[in-house]
């Protein structure tokens, strides 16, 4: 996804002289084309993220369209107050991009994990939270986000992610793509965890006789309530899966919506638990460790179909 | 197009500053707004910038070519509000309900969208300079010429983000950015050179690659010289303005109780006498 990001930003910079990419001293060689072609539209702000976010807000308030880019914890929690005050409070059109989100950098340890960003951003006014699920999805929402003038946080993976739907099916902000059609349950998959949801749906269909629809979600905030109400009416149960803490995550948000609207469709939320992962390992290992892999979705699907309506776990 | 700065004669600035000091003190009494000492130490700096330096037009407060002024020490907003009103960004009568429920005027600046003339909603320290740096860089990137000025407090220089901004400004050679540090030697609960190791402050900015001038922050002539003599220097500029907290009223000067104290009606009267204001 980061290669798609660099390519798309370079293309956008060529079209819009107001676009500026601020990097926190990462992306060695990644932005060579941007730096070479449009040197005034790229700035390495060093390993100084608090300042970088304030600089971006100042640029945005002066008519530019800055994109801030670094590894997710450092472009979110490291400079959270600058995001809240300088970007969100000022409603400054800054696009914040976190790369290597969730457990993408599992092997680097919890300093480089990001499992609390949705929870934090959900409580900050003005700012939108986007979770593209593959490279075409990223290209689509990035372009729309920069053009919109709305403060936006985009959470992306690292590299090598497969396309989950045909590129021409990439949808805009707030819309969903269906990766698998189904009739029994709906798996709402947030961002880059999509392959686990799809693998689970295939297993459920092939081995368990359960027909699962996989809906790819690219927007965590604002929540598409109309879509949720429609899905809740269509399916026997909903499963949400996200590479994020269950606390304050997308699933909790969806659960609150269902409860507050007296919608009794059972829901199971898969996310990471209230713990740090002290061991290292691959992203796949980390997903299994936290119970957000395909096998966990399969188990959850079997369980939730046993539940009577109105009982959620 | 913005107007040229008023370029008031240096000699005419003192009476403006004294009058604004009186209004700041009176408003503090009436509204219960604190940070009087912090407001009075930087009043002269604000008057200098708003009446002698800034290329601004109160009738067109969002002109792209305007100079930007950021009160990075946002807790001195009571001083800034008086300055903006006197400069004509909004009628002075707007300040009548100062501090009342629903008022825009309180302890810190609101956002630019809420109040014309404000460039940044500061109040959390260490934010104004990075935002100002972004504005200064935007001038270069978008090729729209203007200058950016930020007033910081010495206590604010505790914040790491100030020094992050100082490093980037030096690396990028941001020559259209000027910082004035209101060096009144106090922060909320103690001497700023004792709470953290701030001194030697001028040398610190110099070591960070800035063009530094140290002045008496209550001497308008020295302020003008500091700006004039360095205007062609390619580096970002820092003016270390040695000031007195509570400047202008003998019983407030250098007494840190006035960081939070609210003056009584009698103290407002005494202040008027000392400032030479007829009430």
């Amino acid at each position: 996804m980061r290669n798609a990001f660099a390519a798309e930003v370079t293309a956008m910079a060529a079209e819009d002289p107001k676009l500026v990419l601020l990097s926190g001293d990462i992306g060695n060689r990644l932005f060579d084309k941007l730096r070479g072609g449009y040197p005034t539209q790229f700035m390495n702000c060093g390993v100084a993220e608090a300042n970088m976010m304030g600089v971006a807000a100042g640029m945005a308030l002066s008519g530019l369209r800055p994109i801030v880019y670094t590894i997710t914890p450092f472009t979110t929690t490291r400079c959270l107050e600058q995001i809240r005050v300088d970007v969100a409070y000022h409603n400054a059109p800054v696009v914040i991009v976190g790369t290597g989100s969730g457990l993408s950098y599992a092997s680097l340890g919890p300093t480089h994990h990001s499992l609390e960003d949705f929870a934090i951003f959900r409580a900050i006014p003005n700012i939108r939270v986007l979770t593209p699920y593959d490279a075409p999805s990223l290209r689509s929402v990035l372009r729309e986000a920069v053009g919109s003038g709305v403060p936006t946080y985009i959470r992306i993976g690292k590299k090598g992610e497969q396309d989950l739907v045909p590129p021409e099916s990439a949808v805009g902000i707030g819309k969903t793509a269906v990766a698998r059609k189904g009739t029994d349950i709906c798996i709402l998959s947030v961002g880059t965890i999509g392959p686990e949801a799809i693998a689970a749906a295939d297993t459920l269909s092939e081995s368990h006789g359960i027909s699962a629809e996989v809906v790819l979600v690219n927007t965590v905030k604002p929540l598409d309530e109309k879509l949720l109400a429609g899905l809740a009416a269509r399916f026997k149960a909903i499963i949400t899966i996200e590479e994020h803490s269950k606390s304050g995550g997308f699933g909790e948000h969806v659960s609150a919506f269902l409860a507050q609207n007296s919608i009794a469709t059972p829901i199971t939320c898969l996310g990471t638990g209230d713990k740090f992962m002290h061991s290292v390992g691959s992203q796949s290992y980390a997903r299994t460790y936290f119970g957000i892999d395909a096998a966990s979705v399969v188990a959850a699907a079997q369980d939730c179909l046993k539940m009577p309506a109105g009982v959620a776990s | 197009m913005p107007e040229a700065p008023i370029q008031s004669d240096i000699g005419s600035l003192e009476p403006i500053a004294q009058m604004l000091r009186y209004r700041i003190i009176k408003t503090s009494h009436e509204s219960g707004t604190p940070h009087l000492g912090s407001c009075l130490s930087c009043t002269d700096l604000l008057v200098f910038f708003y009446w002698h330096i800034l290329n601004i037009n109160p009738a067109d407060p969002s002109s792209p070519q305007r100079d930007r002024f950021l009160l990075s020490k946002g807790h001195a907003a009571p001083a800034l509000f008086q300055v903006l009103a006197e400069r004509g960004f909004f009628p002075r009568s707007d300040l009548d309900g100062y501090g009342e429920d629903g008022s825009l005027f309180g302890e810190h600046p609101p956002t630019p969208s809420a109040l014309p003339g404000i460039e940044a909603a500061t109040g959390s320290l260490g934010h104004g300079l990075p935002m100002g740096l972004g504005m200064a860089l935007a001038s270069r990137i978008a090729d729209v010429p203007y200058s950016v000025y930020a007033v910081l407090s010495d206590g604010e220089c505790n914040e790491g983000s100030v020094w992050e901004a100082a490093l980037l400004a030096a690396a990028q050679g941001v020559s259209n950015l000027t910082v004035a540090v209101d060096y009144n030697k106090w922060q909320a609960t103690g001497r700023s050179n004792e709470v953290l190791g701030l001194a030697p402050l001028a040398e610190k900015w110099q070591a960070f690659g800035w063009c530094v001038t140290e002045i008496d922050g209550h001497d308008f002539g020295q302020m003008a010289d500091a700006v004039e003599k360095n205007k062609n220097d390619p580096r970002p500029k820092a003016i270390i303005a040695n000031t007195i907290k509570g400047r202008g009223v003998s019983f407030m000067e250098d007494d840190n109780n006035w960081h939070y104290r609210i003056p009584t009606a009698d103290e407002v009267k005494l202040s008027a006498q000392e400032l030479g204001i007829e009430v």
Side-chain angles (χ1 to χ4, degrees):
Chain A
M1 284 176 101
R2 63 191 183 206
N3 291 332
F5 172 77
E8 195 66 16
V9 164
T10 305
M12 290 163 66
E15 296 160 20
D16 183 0
K18 296 199 298 295
L19 185 142
V20 181
L21 181 71
L22 305 181
S23 156
D25 201 35
I26 64 155
N28 188 29
R29 310 302 307 270
L30 186 61
F31 300 113
D32 280 0
K33 278 189 185 158
L34 176 64
R35 307 168 81 141
Y38 314 95
T40 64
Q41 291 172 260
F42 174 87
M43 187 172 294
N44 185 349
C45 291
V47 195
E49 295 84 2
N51 175 61
M52 176 163 63
M53 197 59 70
V55 164
M59 287 179 170
L61 292 171
S62 305
L64 298 183
R65 285 284 188 264
I67 300 173
V68 179
Y69 177 84
T70 188
I71 299 172
T72 304
F74 315 134
T75 195
T76 55
T77 47
R78 176 80 189 197
C79 50
L80 180 58
E81 203 196 55
Q82 281 71 21
I83 293 172
R84 188 177 79 89
V85 175
D86 304 351
V87 176
Y89 180 32
H90 287 80
N91 210 10
V94 175
V95 172
I96 300 162
V97 177
T99 186
S101 303
L103 296 165
S104 301
Y105 289 135
S107 61
L108 277 67
T111 55
H112 286 58
H113 301 170
S114 50
L115 302 168
E116 55 288 292
D117 41 334
F118 299 163
I120 294 166
F121 283 108
R122 273 180 59 201
I124 299 178
N126 288 347
I127 197 156
R128 198 164 46 183
V129 178
L130 306 183
T131 55
Y133 43 81
D134 61 10
S137 160
L138 164 62
R139 288 173 184 267
S140 167
V141 299
L142 176 68
R143 193 165 273 272
E144 191 179 343
V146 172
S148 71
V150 176
T152 304
Y153 165 56
I154 306 178
R155 179 202 229 242
I156 72 173
K158 45 178 187 181
K159 63 176 181 179
E161 290 88 355
Q162 65 200 75
D163 289 357
L164 302 184
V165 288
E168 59 275 15
S169 312
V171 293
I173 294 171
K175 299 189 174 66
T176 51
V178 176
R180 292 287 184 276
K181 288 268 190 197
T183 52
D184 294 325
I185 64 166
C186 174
I187 304 170
L188 281 169
S189 171
V190 177
T192 50
I193 196 87
E196 304 290 342
I198 291 168
D202 291 345
T203 302
L204 285 167
S205 162
E206 289 158 14
S207 309
H208 302 280
I210 296 173
S211 169
E213 179 144 316
V214 177
V215 175
L216 304 174
V217 175
N218 69 11
T219 305
V220 162
K221 181 191 174 193
L223 203 60
D224 187 344
E225 298 185 342
K226 202 174 154 192
L227 167 87
L228 291 174
L231 294 174
R234 265 180 61 208
F235 293 97
K236 295 172 196 158
I238 290 175
I239 293 173
T240 63
I241 179 167
E242 58 198 307
E243 205 163 79
H244 183 277
S245 173
K246 278 185 271 197
S247 301
F250 175 77
E252 210 174 81
H253 202 181
V254 173
S255 302
F257 166 76
L258 297 178
Q260 285 165 11
N261 290 278
S262 305
I263 298 171
T265 309
I267 178 167
T268 299
C269 303
L270 300 182
T272 60
D274 191 19
K275 61 182 178 182
F276 290 105
M277 187 178 87
H278 288 273
S279 51
V280 296
S282 64
Q283 186 172 19
S284 171
Y285 164 82
R287 286 174 171 175
T288 301
Y289 174 89
F290 279 114
I292 53 170
D293 56 358
S296 303
V297 179
V298 169
Q302 291 172 295
D303 283 350
C304 71
L305 284 177
K306 291 177 199 151
M307 283 190 288
V311 179
S313 67
Chain B
M1 286 293 289
E3 290 174 346
I6 287 187
Q7 281 284 357
S8 297
D9 181 63
I10 282 290
S12 70
L13 301 183
E14 175 79 14
I16 300 171
Q18 295 299 81
M19 175 190 64
L20 293 176
R21 283 192 165 90
Y22 171 68
R23 289 182 191 161
I24 293 163
I25 293 166
K26 184 164 172 279
T27 303
S28 172
H29 166 70
E30 289 167 351
S31 64
T33 307
H35 298 130
L36 207 39
S38 315
C39 289
L40 299 179
S41 70
C42 69
T43 303
D44 291 330
L45 285 167
L46 297 190
V47 168
F48 169 71
F49 284 114
Y50 274 91
W51 270 267
H52 195 70
I53 294 293
L54 295 176
N55 184 25
I56 48 174
N57 178 1
D60 187 10
S62 52
S63 161
Q65 296 91 352
R66 73 192 185 280
D67 285 343
R68 272 72 163 170
F69 178 88
L70 296 95
L71 186 65
S72 200
K73 49 171 289 184
H75 55 292
L80 181 62
F81 293 144
Q82 297 293 345
V83 165
L84 292 176
E86 187 62 24
R87 266 307 251 113
F89 282 93
F90 46 82
R92 265 186 66 206
S93 58
D94 283 8
L95 296 170
D96 287 349
Y98 199 110
E100 290 175 4
D101 289 350
S103 172
L104 283 175
F105 305 100
E107 294 191 30
H108 297 112
T111 60
S113 60
L115 187 66
I118 298 290
E119 297 290 354
T122 49
S124 177
L125 296 175
H127 286 246
L129 177 57
M131 292 177 79
L133 172 57
M135 294 174 187
L137 285 163
S139 158
R140 186 167 79 189
I141 294 165
D143 196 21
V144 181
Y146 56 82
S147 296
V148 179
Y149 301 88
V151 168
L152 278 65
S153 70
D154 47 356
E156 182 174 11
C157 294
N158 288 187
E159 294 283 3
S161 54
V162 168
W163 301 105
E164 289 184 4
L167 290 168
L168 183 64
Q172 293 288 337
V174 184
S175 60
N176 60 335
L177 175 64
T178 298
V179 157
V181 181
D182 176 12
Y183 195 10
N184 63 29
K185 320 295 186 295
W186 287 105
Q187 54 193 83
T189 65
R191 285 287 182 193
S192 54
N193 288 328
E194 293 171 3
V195 176
L196 294 186
L198 199 59
L201 187 56
E203 286 86 339
K204 279 193 174 65
W205 285 91
Q206 204 145 21
F208 275 68
W210 287 51
C211 169
V212 180
T213 314
E214 188 156 10
I215 61 161
D216 174 349
H218 302 301
D219 184 322
F220 292 111
Q222 288 190 28
M223 294 179 204
D225 288 348
V227 172
E228 180 60 29
K229 78 169 183 194
N230 297 317
K231 69 179 180 192
N232 295 321
D233 193 287
R235 296 171 292 176
K237 285 89 177 168
I239 298 170
I240 307 302
N242 289 294
T243 57
I244 297 169
K245 198 158 180 175
R247 165 78 175 194
V249 178
S250 61
F251 56 88
M252 295 183 186
E253 287 195 353
D254 206 36
D255 176 357
N256 208 36
N257 283 315
W258 290 96
H259 192 80
Y260 294 119
R261 248 202 77 179
I262 306 298
T264 64
D266 285 345
E267 286 167 339
V268 175
K269 257 188 221 165
L270 271 173
S271 303
Q273 285 169 17
E274 291 200 14
L275 293 164
I277 305 295
E278 285 188 31
V279 186

